[in-house]
Amino acid sequence: MNKKKEVLEAILKQGILPLFYNDKVDESVALVRTLYKAGVRVFEFTNRGDKAEDVFKELLSVRDREMSGLYLGIGTIKNSREAALFIDMGADFIVSPIINPEVATLVNEAGLLWIPGCMTPTEIYRAQEYDAALIKLFPANILGPGFMSAIKDLFKGQLFIPTGGVDIEINNLKSWFEAGVCAVGMGSKLIDPKQIDGLEEKTVLALDLIRQAKQK
């Protein structure tokens, strides 16, 4: 199985893609260790600060030593320079807030999963032209489950993951999965990048609610 398929299947199985940015290496490592202990096996670190490269490099190193079976991706990748940098570092997948054909080409050539952010049917169609196996609906709190329900028949077979404003609450989660998404992205609703207390319990709860929400 290739890396692209492995990561995609891991996201589908987990049903949630946790994400955060923290510019402190030690705090970021502690957060990811906690997520891993709670059962997370796919995680996105976002490229949203000057220290992203240094932190991500250390996360990969610690992962290789301690956290078997964890896939680490990098998010907020907007151009080919960023994509090439993190691909060379060893990112397992790339998440973008936009559709940049150069990024798509680089990620596809590397045999990795590219998850672009889309907000309109036209953007979704463009993402499909660049072989986006999984598309991020962003911002999810603006689009809502109704948007997913309205477009799913237009894009049969396409996998979607809403990100931005998804709540750790069974009715909210069920509304998304019933609308047709395959997983949800979750940042600040799950993770306070400066606070580790309670994160393990909160993550265990989120994973359990996701399992419930996915049941038909």
Side-chain angles (χ1 to χ4, degrees):
M1 189 185 299
N2 60 36
K3 176 66 70 68
K4 180 177 180 177
K5 190 173 182 182
E6 284 180 11
V7 172
L8 180 59
E9 290 192 359
I11 293 172
L12 297 182
K13 180 180 179 181
Q14 187 165 282
I16 182 173
L17 184 58
L19 56 109
F20 77 84
Y21 175 75
N22 185 320
D23 59 10
K24 301 285 196 307
V25 170
D26 55 345
E27 291 178 2
S28 296
V29 169
L31 285 164
V32 174
R33 279 183 177 136
T34 301
L35 291 168
Y36 184 80
K37 187 178 178 184
V40 168
R41 293 298 179 267
V42 194
F43 167 75
E44 173 192 341
F45 186 73
T46 57
N47 178 36
R48 293 190 179 180
D50 295 338
K51 300 295 184 181
E53 182 181 347
D54 294 336
V55 176
F56 192 70
K57 189 178 296 182
E58 183 60 21
L59 289 177
L60 288 169
S61 178
V62 174
R63 185 277 308 271
D64 291 344
R65 295 196 305 270
E66 302 177 13
M67 293 177 265
S68 174
L70 177 65
Y71 294 104
L72 281 177
I74 187 75
T76 322
I77 298 300
K78 294 178 285 188
N79 59 58
S80 58
R81 182 193 64 78
E82 294 170 345
L85 173 67
F86 285 99
I87 289 171
D88 288 345
M89 286 174 61
D92 291 317
F93 60 98
I94 303 290
V95 184
S96 300
I98 59 171
I99 298 166
N100 182 325
E102 292 180 353
V103 171
T105 299
L106 275 173
V107 179
N108 287 333
E109 287 177 349
L112 300 179
L113 180 66
W114 172 60
I115 309 174
C118 295
M119 196 178 181
T120 68
T122 298
E123 290 173 348
I124 293 167
Y125 178 77
R126 285 199 70 216
Q128 288 184 323
E129 288 187 305
Y130 293 99
D131 298 322
L134 179 59
I135 290 174
K136 176 170 72 169
L137 296 180
F138 179 80
N141 60 322
I142 302 298
L143 294 169
F147 176 80
M148 181 67 234
S149 296
I151 64 157
K152 64 182 177 183
D153 287 340
L154 296 175
F155 302 102
K156 291 183 185 296
Q158 177 64 55
L159 298 174
F160 292 97
I161 178 169
T163 304
V166 178
D167 293 314
I168 306 176
E169 192 274 319
I170 190 62
N171 290 328
N172 181 260
L173 292 169
K174 273 194 167 184
S175 69
W176 279 110
F177 282 99
E178 288 172 356
V181 304
C182 67
V184 296
M186 199 168 284
S188 60
K189 297 281 186 174
L190 175 65
I191 304 167
D192 179 345
K194 300 295 183 182
Q195 177 62 262
I196 202 167
D197 290 343
L199 176 60
E200 183 177 350
E201 295 78 11
K202 197 174 182 182
T203 304
V204 169
L205 172 63
L207 290 168
D208 184 55
L209 290 175
I210 290 289
R211 281 190 287 270
Q212 294 179 45
K214 289 170 70 176
Q215 292 173 1
K216 300 297 183 185

